[in-house]
Amino acid sequence: IYPNPFTGQFNVKITSDGNAPIDLKIFDITGQLITSKENLRFEEETMMGNGLQSGIYFVEIKQGDARKVLRVIKAE
């Protein structure tokens, strides 16, 4: 994920050895789902975060049984 912190939007580039589709979800600091994208492919770069208010967010990346959560910060 870059840039982090971000002011407009951020890029997510996923590299994976698997072929299963990838799902991305953005949650706010309280755990509320803000947005999601589904059925992405590995090596695909995705832009997200446009329109978010300043604050801390969590990006969940899931592929099959694998799951990773990353923290991103939206600066003013």
Side-chain angles (χ1 to χ4, degrees):
I1 294 180
Y2 63 93
N4 189 17
F6 66 99
T7 55
Q9 53 191 1
F10 60 90
N11 297 307
V12 179
K13 184 172 183 181
I14 301 168
T15 56
S16 173
D17 293 333
N19 291 327
I22 298 166
D23 297 334
L24 292 177
K25 294 181 181 178
I26 298 178
F27 297 91
D28 68 11
I29 193 77
T30 67
Q32 181 178 354
L33 178 64
I34 302 299
T35 189
S36 64
K37 291 189 177 186
E38 299 175 346
N39 297 316
L40 301 173
R41 294 182 300 246
F42 67 95
E43 298 293 334
E44 182 174 346
E45 191 164 327
T46 303
M47 297 177 80
M48 299 183 82
N50 196 19
L52 294 177
Q53 295 181 1
S54 298
I56 298 172
Y57 295 90
F58 297 96
V59 178
E60 178 187 70
I61 303 166
K62 287 183 75 174
Q63 183 181 34
D65 292 332
R67 177 179 175 263
K68 186 165 189 166
V69 177
L70 302 168
R71 184 181 73 169
V72 295
I73 299 171
K74 169 93 183 244
E76 291 185 27

